[in-house]
Coordinates of all heavy atoms in Angstrom, one line a residue:
M29 N 17.2 4.4 10.5 CA 16.6 3.0 10.5 C 17.7 2.1 11.0 O 18.8 2.1 10.5 CB 16.1 2.7 9.2 CG 15.4 1.3 9.2 SD 14.6 1.0 7.6 CE 15.1 -0.7 7.3
R30 N 17.3 1.3 12.0 CA 18.2 0.3 12.5 C 17.9 -1.1 11.9 O 16.9 -1.7 12.2 CB 18.2 0.2 14.0 CG 18.6 1.5 14.7 CD 18.6 1.4 16.2 NE 18.5 0.1 16.8 CZ 17.6 -0.2 17.8 NH1 16.8 0.7 18.3 NH2 17.6 -1.5 18.2
P31 N 18.8 -1.6 11.0 CA 18.5 -2.9 10.4 C 18.4 -4.1 11.4 O 17.8 -5.0 11.1 CB 19.7 -3.1 9.5 CG 20.4 -1.8 9.4 CD 20.0 -1.0 10.6
D32 N 19.1 -3.9 12.5 CA 19.0 -5.0 13.5 C 17.8 -5.0 14.4 O 17.6 -6.0 15.1 CB 20.3 -5.0 14.4 CG 20.4 -3.7 15.2 OD1 19.9 -2.6 14.7 OD2 21.0 -3.7 16.3
D33 N 17.0 -4.0 14.3 CA 15.7 -4.0 15.1 C 14.8 -5.1 14.6 O 14.5 -5.2 13.4 CB 15.1 -2.6 14.9 CG 13.9 -2.4 15.8 OD1 13.1 -3.4 15.9 OD2 13.7 -1.3 16.3
P34 N 14.2 -5.8 15.5 CA 13.3 -6.9 15.0 C 12.1 -6.4 14.3 O 11.7 -7.1 13.3 CB 12.8 -7.5 16.4 CG 13.9 -7.2 17.4 CD 14.4 -5.8 16.9
H35 N 11.6 -5.3 14.5 CA 10.5 -4.7 13.8 C 10.9 -4.4 12.3 O 10.1 -4.6 11.4 CB 9.9 -3.5 14.5 CG 9.3 -3.8 15.8 ND1 10.0 -3.6 17.0 CD2 8.1 -4.3 16.2 CE1 9.3 -3.9 18.0 NE2 8.1 -4.3 17.5
N36 N 12.1 -3.9 12.2 CA 12.5 -3.6 10.8 C 12.8 -4.9 10.0 O 12.5 -5.0 8.9 CB 13.8 -2.8 10.8 CG 13.5 -1.3 11.3 OD1 12.4 -0.9 11.2 ND2 14.5 -0.7 11.9
K37 N 13.3 -5.9 10.7 CA 13.5 -7.2 10.1 C 12.1 -7.8 9.7 O 12.0 -8.3 8.6 CB 14.2 -8.2 11.0 CG 15.6 -7.9 11.3 CD 16.3 -8.9 12.2 CE 17.7 -8.6 12.5 NZ 18.3 -9.6 13.4
E38 N 11.2 -7.7 10.5 CA 9.8 -8.1 10.2 C 9.2 -7.4 9.0 O 8.7 -8.0 8.1 CB 8.9 -7.9 11.5 CG 7.5 -8.4 11.3 CD 6.7 -8.2 12.5 OE1 6.3 -7.0 12.8 OE2 6.6 -9.1 13.3
R39 N 9.4 -6.1 9.0 CA 8.9 -5.4 7.9 C 9.6 -5.8 6.5 O 8.9 -6.0 5.5 CB 9.3 -3.9 8.1 CG 8.2 -2.9 7.5 CD 8.5 -1.6 8.0 NE 7.8 -1.4 9.3 CZ 6.7 -0.6 9.4 NH1 6.2 -0.1 8.3 NH2 6.1 -0.5 10.5
V40 N 10.8 -6.1 6.5 CA 11.5 -6.5 5.3 C 11.0 -7.9 4.9 O 10.7 -8.1 3.7 CB 13.0 -6.5 5.5 CG1 13.7 -7.2 4.4 CG2 13.6 -5.1 5.6
L41 N 10.8 -8.8 5.8 CA 10.2 -10.1 5.5 C 8.8 -10.0 4.9 O 8.4 -10.6 4.0 CB 10.1 -11.0 6.8 CG 11.5 -11.6 7.2 CD1 11.3 -12.3 8.6 CD2 12.0 -12.5 6.2
I42 N 8.0 -9.0 5.5 CA 6.6 -8.8 5.0 C 6.7 -8.3 3.5 O 6.0 -8.8 2.7 CB 5.9 -7.8 5.9 CG1 5.6 -8.5 7.2 CG2 4.6 -7.4 5.2 CD1 5.1 -7.5 8.3
W43 N 7.6 -7.4 3.3 CA 7.7 -6.9 1.9 C 8.2 -8.0 0.9 O 7.7 -8.0 -0.2 CB 8.7 -5.7 1.9 CG 8.2 -4.5 2.6 CD1 6.8 -4.2 2.9 CD2 8.9 -3.4 3.1 NE1 6.8 -3.0 3.6 CE2 8.0 -2.4 3.7 CE3 10.3 -3.1 3.1 CZ2 8.4 -1.3 4.3 CZ3 10.7 -1.9 3.7 CH2 9.8 -1.0 4.3
Q44 N 9.1 -8.7 1.4 CA 9.6 -9.9 0.5 C 8.4 -10.8 0.2 O 8.3 -11.3 -0.9 CB 10.8 -10.6 1.2 CG 12.0 -9.8 1.2 CD 13.1 -10.5 2.0 OE1 12.9 -11.4 2.8 NE2 14.3 -10.0 1.9
R45 N 7.7 -11.2 1.2 CA 6.6 -12.1 1.0 C 5.5 -11.4 0.1 O 4.9 -12.1 -0.8 CB 5.9 -12.4 2.3 CG 4.8 -13.5 2.2 CD 5.3 -14.8 1.7 NE 4.2 -15.7 1.5 CZ 4.1 -16.5 0.5 NH1 5.0 -16.6 -0.5 NH2 3.0 -17.3 0.4
G46 N 5.3 -10.1 0.3 CA 4.4 -9.4 -0.6 C 4.8 -9.4 -2.1 O 4.0 -9.6 -3.0
L47 N 6.1 -9.3 -2.3 CA 6.6 -9.4 -3.7 C 6.4 -10.8 -4.3 O 6.1 -10.9 -5.5 CB 8.0 -8.9 -3.7 CG 8.3 -7.4 -3.4 CD1 9.8 -7.1 -3.4 CD2 7.6 -6.6 -4.5
E48 N 6.6 -11.8 -3.4 CA 6.4 -13.2 -3.9 C 4.9 -13.4 -4.3 O 4.6 -14.0 -5.3 CB 6.8 -14.1 -2.8 CG 8.3 -14.2 -2.5 CD 8.6 -15.0 -1.2 OE1 7.7 -15.7 -0.7 OE2 9.8 -15.0 -0.8
L49 N 4.0 -12.8 -3.4 CA 2.6 -13.0 -3.7 C 2.2 -12.2 -5.0 O 1.4 -12.7 -5.8 CB 1.7 -12.5 -2.6 CG 1.8 -13.3 -1.3 CD1 1.1 -12.6 -0.2 CD2 1.1 -14.7 -1.5
L50 N 2.8 -11.1 -5.2 CA 2.6 -10.3 -6.4 C 3.1 -11.0 -7.6 O 2.4 -11.0 -8.7 CB 3.3 -8.9 -6.3 CG 3.1 -8.0 -7.5 CD1 1.6 -7.7 -7.7 CD2 3.8 -6.7 -7.2
Q51 N 4.2 -11.7 -7.5 CA 4.7 -12.5 -8.7 C 3.8 -13.6 -9.0 O 3.6 -14.0 -10.2 CB 6.1 -13.0 -8.4 CG 7.1 -11.9 -8.5 CD 8.5 -12.4 -8.1 OE1 8.7 -13.5 -7.6 NE2 9.6 -11.6 -8.3
R52 N 3.1 -14.1 -8.0 CA 2.2 -15.3 -8.2 C 0.9 -14.9 -8.9 O 0.5 -15.7 -9.8 CB 1.9 -15.9 -6.8 CG 1.1 -17.2 -6.9 CD 0.9 -17.8 -5.6 NE -0.3 -17.1 -5.0 CZ -0.7 -17.2 -3.8 NH1 -0.1 -18.1 -3.0 NH2 -1.7 -16.5 -3.3
D53 N 0.4 -13.7 -8.6 CA -0.9 -13.3 -9.2 C -0.7 -11.8 -9.6 O -1.4 -10.9 -9.0 CB -2.0 -13.4 -8.2 CG -2.4 -14.8 -7.9 OD1 -2.5 -15.6 -8.8 OD2 -2.5 -15.1 -6.7
P54 N 0.1 -11.5 -10.6 CA 0.3 -10.1 -11.0 C -0.9 -9.4 -11.6 O -1.0 -8.1 -11.4 CB 1.5 -10.1 -12.0 CG 1.4 -11.5 -12.6 CD 0.9 -12.4 -11.5
L55 N -1.8 -10.1 -12.2 CA -2.9 -9.4 -12.9 C -4.1 -9.2 -12.0 O -4.8 -8.2 -12.0 CB -3.3 -10.1 -14.2 CG -2.3 -10.0 -15.3 CD1 -2.8 -10.8 -16.5 CD2 -2.0 -8.6 -15.7
T56 N -4.4 -10.2 -11.2 CA -5.6 -10.2 -10.4 C -5.4 -10.0 -8.9 O -6.3 -9.6 -8.2 CB -6.4 -11.6 -10.5 OG1 -5.6 -12.6 -10.1 CG2 -6.8 -11.8 -12.0
G57 N -4.2 -10.2 -8.4 CA -3.9 -10.1 -7.0 C -4.5 -11.2 -6.2 O -5.1 -12.2 -6.8
T58 N -4.4 -11.1 -4.9 CA -4.9 -12.2 -4.0 C -6.4 -11.9 -3.7 O -7.1 -12.8 -3.1 CB -4.2 -12.2 -2.7 OG1 -4.3 -10.9 -2.1 CG2 -2.7 -12.6 -2.9
G59 N -7.0 -10.7 -4.0 CA -8.3 -10.3 -3.5 C -8.1 -9.4 -2.4 O -6.9 -9.2 -1.8
L60 N -9.1 -8.8 -1.9 CA -9.0 -7.7 -0.8 C -8.6 -8.3 0.5 O -8.3 -7.5 1.4 CB -10.3 -7.0 -0.7 CG -10.6 -6.1 -2.0 CD1 -11.9 -5.4 -1.8 CD2 -9.6 -5.2 -2.3
W61 N -8.7 -9.6 0.7 CA -8.2 -10.2 2.0 C -7.1 -11.2 1.7 O -7.3 -12.0 0.8 CB -9.4 -10.9 2.7 CG -9.0 -11.6 3.9 CD1 -8.8 -10.9 5.1 CD2 -9.0 -12.9 4.2 NE1 -8.5 -11.8 6.1 CE2 -8.6 -13.1 5.6 CE3 -9.1 -14.1 3.5 CZ2 -8.4 -14.3 6.2 CZ3 -8.9 -15.3 4.1 CH2 -8.6 -15.4 5.4
I62 N -6.0 -11.0 2.3 CA -4.9 -11.9 2.1 C -5.0 -13.1 3.1 O -4.8 -12.9 4.3 CB -3.5 -11.2 2.3 CG1 -3.4 -10.0 1.3 CG2 -2.4 -12.2 2.1 CD1 -2.3 -9.1 1.6
P63 N -5.2 -14.3 2.7 CA -5.4 -15.4 3.6 C -4.1 -15.6 4.4 O -3.0 -15.4 3.9 CB -5.6 -16.6 2.7 CG -6.2 -16.0 1.4 CD -5.4 -14.7 1.3
P64 N -4.3 -16.0 5.7 CA -3.0 -16.2 6.5 C -2.1 -17.2 6.0 O -0.9 -17.1 6.1 CB -3.6 -16.7 7.9 CG -5.0 -16.2 7.9 CD -5.5 -16.2 6.4
E65 N -2.6 -18.2 5.3 CA -1.7 -19.3 4.7 C -0.8 -18.7 3.6 O 0.2 -19.2 3.3 CB -2.5 -20.5 4.2 CG -3.6 -20.2 3.3 CD -5.0 -19.9 3.9 OE1 -5.1 -19.7 5.1 OE2 -5.9 -19.9 3.1
D66 N -1.4 -17.6 2.9 CA -0.5 -16.9 1.9 C 0.6 -16.1 2.6 O 1.5 -15.8 1.9 CB -1.4 -16.1 1.0 CG -2.2 -16.8 0.0 OD1 -1.9 -18.0 -0.1 OD2 -3.0 -16.3 -0.7
M67 N 0.4 -15.8 3.8 CA 1.5 -15.0 4.5 C 2.3 -16.0 5.3 O 2.9 -15.7 6.4 CB 0.9 -14.0 5.5 CG 0.2 -12.8 4.7 SD 1.4 -11.9 3.7 CE 2.4 -11.2 5.0
A68 N 2.5 -17.3 4.8 CA 3.3 -18.3 5.4 C 2.8 -18.6 6.8 O 3.5 -18.6 7.8 CB 4.8 -17.9 5.5
G69 N 1.5 -18.9 6.9 CA 0.9 -19.1 8.2 C 0.8 -17.8 8.9 O 0.3 -16.8 8.4
S70 N 1.2 -17.7 10.1 CA 1.2 -16.5 10.8 C 2.6 -16.1 11.3 O 2.8 -15.1 12.0 CB 0.3 -16.5 12.0 OG 0.7 -17.5 12.9
E71 N 3.6 -16.9 10.9 CA 5.0 -16.6 11.3 C 6.0 -16.9 10.2 O 5.7 -17.7 9.3 CB 5.3 -17.5 12.5 CG 4.5 -17.3 13.8 CD 4.8 -18.3 14.8 OE1 5.3 -19.4 14.6 OE2 4.6 -18.0 16.0
M72 N 7.1 -16.3 10.3 CA 8.2 -16.5 9.4 C 9.4 -16.6 10.2 O 9.6 -16.0 11.2 CB 8.3 -15.4 8.3 CG 7.1 -15.2 7.4 SD 7.3 -13.8 6.3 CE 7.8 -14.6 4.8
S73 N 10.4 -17.4 9.7 CA 11.6 -17.6 10.4 C 12.7 -16.7 9.9 O 12.7 -16.4 8.7 CB 12.1 -19.1 10.3 OG 11.2 -19.9 10.9
T74 N 13.6 -16.2 10.8 CA 14.7 -15.5 10.5 C 15.9 -16.2 11.2 O 15.7 -17.0 12.0 CB 14.7 -14.0 11.0 OG1 14.6 -14.1 12.4 CG2 13.5 -13.4 10.4
P75 N 17.1 -15.9 10.8 CA 18.3 -16.5 11.5 C 18.2 -16.2 13.0 O 18.7 -17.1 13.8 CB 19.5 -15.8 10.9 CG 19.0 -15.3 9.5 CD 17.6 -15.0 9.7
S76 N 17.6 -15.2 13.5 CA 17.6 -14.9 14.9 C 16.3 -15.4 15.6 O 16.2 -15.2 16.8 CB 17.8 -13.4 15.1 OG 16.7 -12.7 14.5
G77 N 15.4 -16.0 14.9 CA 14.2 -16.5 15.5 C 13.0 -16.4 14.6 O 13.1 -16.2 13.4
V78 N 11.9 -16.5 15.2 CA 10.6 -16.4 14.5 C 10.0 -15.1 14.7 O 9.9 -14.6 15.9 CB 9.7 -17.6 15.0 CG1 8.3 -17.4 14.3 CG2 10.3 -18.9 14.6
L79 N 9.5 -14.5 13.7 CA 8.8 -13.2 13.8 C 7.4 -13.3 13.4 O 7.0 -14.1 12.6 CB 9.5 -12.1 12.9 CG 10.9 -11.8 13.2 CD1 11.5 -10.9 12.0 CD2 11.1 -11.1 14.5
R80 N 6.5 -12.6 14.1 CA 5.1 -12.5 13.7 C 4.9 -11.7 12.5 O 5.5 -10.7 12.3 CB 4.3 -11.9 14.9 CG 2.8 -11.9 14.7 CD 2.1 -11.3 15.9 NE 0.7 -11.3 15.7 CZ 0.1 -10.3 15.0 NH1 0.8 -9.3 14.6 NH2 -1.2 -10.3 14.9
V81 N 4.0 -12.2 11.6 CA 3.7 -11.5 10.3 C 2.3 -11.1 10.4 O 1.4 -11.8 10.7 CB 4.1 -12.4 9.1 CG1 3.6 -11.7 7.8 CG2 5.5 -12.7 9.1
H82 N 2.0 -9.9 9.9 CA 0.7 -9.3 9.9 C 0.0 -9.7 8.6 O 0.6 -10.2 7.7 CB 0.8 -7.8 10.1 CG 1.5 -7.3 11.3 ND1 0.9 -7.3 12.6 CD2 2.8 -7.0 11.5 CE1 1.8 -6.9 13.5 NE2 2.9 -6.8 12.9
S83 N -1.3 -9.4 8.6 CA -2.1 -9.6 7.3 C -2.0 -8.5 6.4 O -2.8 -8.5 5.4 CB -3.5 -10.0 7.7 OG -4.1 -8.9 8.3
H84 N -1.2 -7.5 6.6 CA -1.1 -6.4 5.7 C 0.4 -6.1 5.4 O 1.3 -6.7 6.1 CB -1.8 -5.2 6.2 CG -1.3 -4.7 7.5 ND1 -1.7 -5.3 8.7 CD2 -0.4 -3.7 7.8 CE1 -1.0 -4.6 9.7 NE2 -0.3 -3.7 9.2
M85 N 0.7 -5.4 4.4 CA 2.1 -5.3 3.8 C 2.9 -4.1 4.5 O 4.1 -4.0 4.1 CB 2.0 -5.0 2.3 CG 1.4 -6.2 1.6 SD 2.5 -7.6 1.6 CE 1.4 -8.8 2.2
H86 N 2.3 -3.3 5.3 CA 3.0 -2.1 5.8 C 3.5 -1.2 4.7 O 4.6 -0.5 4.9 CB 4.2 -2.6 6.7 CG 3.7 -3.2 8.0 ND1 3.3 -2.5 9.1 CD2 3.7 -4.5 8.3 CE1 3.0 -3.4 10.0 NE2 3.2 -4.6 9.6
S87 N 2.9 -1.2 3.6 CA 3.2 -0.4 2.5 C 1.9 -0.3 1.6 O 1.5 -1.3 1.1 CB 4.4 -0.9 1.7 OG 4.4 -0.3 0.4
T88 N 1.4 0.9 1.5 CA 0.1 1.1 0.7 C 0.3 0.6 -0.7 O -0.6 -0.1 -1.2 CB -0.4 2.5 0.9 OG1 -0.6 2.8 2.3 CG2 -1.7 2.8 0.1
P89 N 1.3 1.1 -1.4 CA 1.4 0.7 -2.8 C 1.6 -0.9 -3.0 O 0.9 -1.5 -3.8 CB 2.7 1.4 -3.4 CG 2.8 2.6 -2.5 CD 2.3 2.1 -1.1
L90 N 2.3 -1.5 -2.1 CA 2.5 -2.9 -2.1 C 1.2 -3.6 -1.8 O 0.9 -4.6 -2.4 CB 3.7 -3.3 -1.2 CG 4.0 -4.8 -1.2 CD1 4.4 -5.3 -2.7 CD2 5.2 -5.1 -0.3
Q91 N 0.5 -3.1 -0.8 CA -0.7 -3.7 -0.3 C -1.8 -3.7 -1.5 O -2.4 -4.7 -1.8 CB -1.3 -3.0 0.8 CG -2.6 -3.4 1.3 CD -2.5 -4.7 2.1 OE1 -1.5 -5.0 2.8 NE2 -3.6 -5.6 2.1
I92 N -1.8 -2.6 -2.2 CA -2.7 -2.5 -3.3 C -2.3 -3.4 -4.5 O -3.1 -4.1 -5.1 CB -2.9 -1.0 -3.8 CG1 -3.6 -0.2 -2.8 CG2 -3.5 -0.9 -5.2 CD1 -3.5 1.3 -3.0
A93 N -1.1 -3.5 -4.7 CA -0.6 -4.4 -5.8 C -0.8 -5.8 -5.5 O -1.3 -6.6 -6.4 CB 0.9 -4.1 -6.1
V94 N -0.5 -6.2 -4.2 CA -0.8 -7.6 -3.8 C -2.3 -8.0 -3.9 O -2.6 -9.1 -4.3 CB -0.2 -7.9 -2.4 CG1 -0.6 -9.2 -1.9 CG2 1.3 -7.8 -2.5
T95 N -3.1 -7.1 -3.4 CA -4.5 -7.4 -3.3 C -5.3 -7.3 -4.6 O -6.2 -8.0 -4.9 CB -5.2 -6.7 -2.2 OG1 -5.1 -5.3 -2.4 CG2 -4.7 -7.0 -0.8
M96 N -4.9 -6.2 -5.4 CA -5.7 -5.9 -6.6 C -4.9 -6.1 -7.9 O -5.4 -5.8 -9.0 CB -6.2 -4.5 -6.5 CG -7.2 -4.4 -5.4 SD -7.9 -2.7 -5.5 CE -7.3 -2.1 -3.9
G97 N -3.6 -6.5 -7.8 CA -2.8 -6.7 -8.9 C -2.2 -5.5 -9.5 O -2.5 -4.4 -9.0
I98 N -1.4 -5.6 -10.5 CA -0.7 -4.4 -11.2 C -1.8 -3.4 -11.7 O -1.7 -2.2 -11.6 CB 0.3 -4.9 -12.2 CG1 1.4 -5.7 -11.6 CG2 0.8 -3.7 -13.0 CD1 2.2 -5.0 -10.6
P99 N -2.9 -3.9 -12.4 CA -3.9 -3.0 -12.9 C -4.5 -2.2 -11.7 O -4.7 -0.9 -11.9 CB -4.9 -3.9 -13.5 CG -4.2 -5.1 -13.9 CD -3.2 -5.3 -12.8
G100 N -4.7 -2.7 -10.6 CA -5.2 -2.0 -9.4 C -4.2 -0.9 -9.0 O -4.6 0.2 -8.6
L101 N -2.9 -1.3 -9.0 CA -1.9 -0.3 -8.5 C -1.8 0.8 -9.6 O -1.7 2.0 -9.2 CB -0.6 -1.0 -8.5 CG 0.6 -0.1 -8.0 CD1 0.4 0.5 -6.7 CD2 1.9 -0.9 -8.1
I102 N -2.0 0.5 -10.9 CA -2.0 1.6 -11.9 C -3.2 2.5 -11.7 O -3.0 3.7 -11.8 CB -1.9 1.0 -13.3 CG1 -0.6 0.3 -13.5 CG2 -2.2 2.0 -14.3 CD1 -0.5 -0.5 -14.8
A103 N -4.3 1.9 -11.4 CA -5.5 2.7 -11.2 C -5.4 3.6 -10.0 O -5.7 4.8 -10.0 CB -6.7 1.8 -11.0
F104 N -4.8 3.1 -8.9 CA -4.5 3.9 -7.7 C -3.6 5.1 -8.0 O -3.9 6.2 -7.6 CB -3.9 3.0 -6.6 CG -3.5 3.7 -5.4 CD1 -4.4 4.2 -4.5 CD2 -2.1 3.9 -5.2 CE1 -4.0 4.8 -3.4 CE2 -1.7 4.6 -4.0 CZ -2.6 5.0 -3.1
I105 N -2.5 4.8 -8.7 CA -1.6 5.9 -9.1 C -2.2 6.9 -9.9 O -2.1 8.1 -9.7 CB -0.3 5.3 -9.8 CG1 0.5 4.4 -8.8 CG2 0.5 6.3 -10.4 CD1 1.6 3.6 -9.4
I106 N -3.1 6.5 -10.9 CA -3.8 7.5 -11.7 C -4.7 8.3 -10.9 O -4.8 9.6 -11.0 CB -4.6 6.7 -12.8 CG1 -3.6 6.2 -13.9 CG2 -5.6 7.7 -13.5 CD1 -4.2 5.3 -14.9
L107 N -5.4 7.7 -9.9 CA -6.3 8.5 -9.0 C -5.5 9.5 -8.1 O -6.0 10.6 -8.0 CB -7.1 7.6 -8.1 CG -8.2 6.8 -8.8 CD1 -8.8 5.7 -7.9 CD2 -9.3 7.7 -9.3
I108 N -4.4 9.1 -7.6 CA -3.6 10.0 -6.8 C -3.1 11.2 -7.6 O -3.1 12.3 -7.2 CB -2.4 9.2 -6.2 CG1 -2.9 8.2 -5.2 CG2 -1.4 10.2 -5.5 CD1 -3.7 8.7 -4.0
I109 N -2.6 10.9 -8.9 CA -2.1 11.9 -9.7 C -3.3 12.9 -10.1 O -3.1 14.1 -10.0 CB -1.5 11.4 -11.0 CG1 -0.2 10.7 -10.7 CG2 -1.3 12.4 -12.1 CD1 0.4 9.8 -11.8
A110 N -4.5 12.3 -10.4 CA -5.6 13.2 -10.7 C -6.0 14.0 -9.5 O -6.3 15.2 -9.6 CB -6.8 12.3 -11.1
Y111 N -5.9 13.5 -8.3 CA -6.3 14.3 -7.1 C -5.4 15.4 -6.9 O -5.8 16.6 -6.7 CB -6.2 13.3 -5.9 CG -6.3 14.1 -4.6 CD1 -7.5 14.5 -4.1 CD2 -5.2 14.4 -3.9 CE1 -7.6 15.3 -2.9 CE2 -5.2 15.1 -2.7 CZ -6.4 15.6 -2.2 OH -6.5 16.3 -1.1
F112 N -4.0 15.2 -7.1 CA -3.1 16.3 -6.8 C -3.2 17.3 -8.0 O -3.0 18.5 -7.7 CB -1.7 15.8 -6.7 CG -1.4 15.3 -5.3 CD1 -1.3 13.9 -5.1 CD2 -1.4 16.1 -4.2 CE1 -1.1 13.4 -3.8 CE2 -1.1 15.6 -2.9 CZ -1.0 14.3 -2.7
R113 N -3.5 16.9 -9.2 CA -3.7 17.9 -10.3 C -4.9 18.7 -10.0 O -4.9 19.9 -10.3 CB -3.8 17.1 -11.6 CG -2.5 16.5 -12.1 CD -2.6 15.9 -13.4 NE -2.8 16.9 -14.4 CZ -3.1 16.6 -15.7 NH1 -3.1 15.4 -16.1 NH2 -3.3 17.6 -16.6
L114 N -6.0 18.1 -9.6 CA -7.2 18.8 -9.2 C -7.0 19.8 -8.1 O -7.4 20.9 -8.1 CB -8.3 17.9 -8.9 CG -9.7 18.5 -8.6 CD1 -10.2 19.2 -9.9 CD2 -10.7 17.4 -8.2
A115 N -6.2 19.3 -7.1 CA -5.9 20.2 -5.9 C -5.1 21.4 -6.4 O -5.3 22.5 -5.9 CB -5.2 19.4 -4.9
K116 N -4.2 21.2 -7.3 CA -3.3 22.3 -7.8 C -4.2 23.3 -8.6 O -4.0 24.5 -8.4 CB -2.2 21.7 -8.7 CG -1.3 22.8 -9.2 CD -0.2 22.2 -10.1 CE 0.6 23.2 -10.7 NZ 1.6 22.7 -11.7
R117 N -5.1 22.8 -9.4 CA -6.0 23.7 -10.2 C -6.9 24.5 -9.2 O -7.1 25.7 -9.4 CB -6.8 22.9 -11.1 CG -6.1 22.6 -12.4 CD -7.0 22.1 -13.5 NE -8.4 21.9 -13.2 CZ -9.1 20.9 -13.8 NH1 -8.5 20.0 -14.5 NH2 -10.4 20.8 -13.5
A118 N -7.4 23.8 -8.2 CA -8.3 24.4 -7.2 C -7.6 25.5 -6.5 O -8.1 26.6 -6.2 CB -8.9 23.4 -6.3
R119 N -6.3 25.2 -6.1 CA -5.5 26.3 -5.4 C -5.2 27.5 -6.2 O -5.2 28.6 -5.7 CB -4.2 25.6 -4.9 CG -3.4 26.5 -4.0 CD -2.2 25.8 -3.6 NE -1.5 26.6 -2.6 CZ -0.3 26.5 -2.3 NH1 0.4 25.4 -2.6 NH2 0.3 27.4 -1.4
S120 N -5.0 27.3 -7.5 CA -4.8 28.5 -8.3 C -6.0 29.2 -8.9 O -5.9 30.2 -9.5 CB -3.8 28.1 -9.4 OG -4.4 27.2 -10.3
A121 N -7.2 28.6 -8.7 CA -8.4 29.1 -9.2 C -8.8 30.4 -8.4 O -8.5 30.5 -7.2 CB -9.5 28.1 -9.2
E122 N -9.5 31.2 -9.1 CA -10.0 32.5 -8.4 C -11.1 32.1 -7.5 O -12.1 31.3 -7.8 CB -10.6 33.4 -9.5 CG -11.2 34.7 -8.9 CD -11.7 35.5 -10.0 OE1 -11.2 35.5 -11.2 OE2 -12.7 36.2 -9.7
L123 N -11.1 32.6 -6.3 CA -12.1 32.3 -5.2 C -13.4 33.2 -5.5 O -13.2 34.3 -5.8 CB -11.6 32.6 -3.9 CG -10.5 31.7 -3.4 CD1 -10.0 32.1 -2.0 CD2 -10.9 30.2 -3.4
R124 N -14.5 32.5 -5.5 CA -15.7 33.3 -5.7 C -16.9 32.6 -4.9 O -16.9 31.4 -4.6 CB -16.1 33.4 -7.1 CG -16.2 32.1 -7.8 CD -16.3 32.3 -9.3 NE -16.2 31.0 -10.0 CZ -16.9 30.5 -10.9 NH1 -17.9 31.4 -11.4 NH2 -16.8 29.4 -11.4
N125 N -17.8 33.4 -4.6 CA -19.0 32.9 -3.8 C -20.1 32.7 -4.8 O -20.8 33.6 -5.3 CB -19.4 33.9 -2.7 CG -20.4 33.4 -1.8 OD1 -21.1 32.4 -2.1 ND2 -20.6 34.0 -0.6
L126 N -20.4 31.4 -5.0 CA -21.5 31.0 -6.0 C -22.8 31.4 -5.5 O -23.8 31.5 -6.2 CB -21.4 29.6 -6.3 CG -20.1 29.1 -7.0 CD1 -20.0 27.6 -7.2 CD2 -20.0 29.8 -8.4
W127 N -23.0 31.5 -4.1 CA -24.3 31.8 -3.6 C -24.7 33.3 -3.9 O -25.9 33.6 -3.9 CB -24.3 31.6 -2.1 CG -24.2 30.1 -1.8 CD1 -23.1 29.5 -1.3 CD2 -25.2 29.1 -1.8 NE1 -23.3 28.1 -1.2 CE2 -24.6 27.9 -1.5 CE3 -26.5 29.1 -2.2 CZ2 -25.3 26.7 -1.4 CZ3 -27.2 27.9 -2.2 CH2 -26.6 26.8 -1.8
E128 N -23.8 34.1 -4.0 CA -24.1 35.6 -4.2 C -24.2 36.0 -5.7 O -24.4 37.1 -6.0 CB -23.1 36.4 -3.5 CG -23.2 36.3 -2.0 CD -22.2 37.0 -1.2 OE1 -21.4 37.8 -1.8 OE2 -22.2 36.9 0.0
E129 N -23.8 35.1 -6.6 CA -23.8 35.4 -8.1 C -25.2 35.3 -8.6 O -26.1 34.5 -8.1 CB -22.9 34.4 -8.8 CG -21.5 34.7 -8.6 CD -20.6 33.8 -9.4 OE1 -21.1 33.1 -10.3 OE2 -19.4 33.7 -9.2
G130 N -25.5 36.0 -9.6 CA -26.7 35.8 -10.3 C -27.7 36.8 -10.1 O -28.8 36.9 -10.3

């Protein structure tokens, strides 16, 4: 990763703004749509100039936390864990054809 790349600088700014938004509404989040004014209009300044900021966080966990709050992030993590546990059980289960039983 090149820290001097403008896209990487933009990403870091987006993450910083996302953390600020999360601190503002940690329980409820901003809602499923992040208003452009909450993303500092549509631009943010850096020492080297102005970068365009998108309406999403470029990070799934941060996006979920910002839009749905910490409870939403916890629910998402629980669902992901449950999915992988179920996939592990299914992988180790004995294969059988339910149509031919009975």
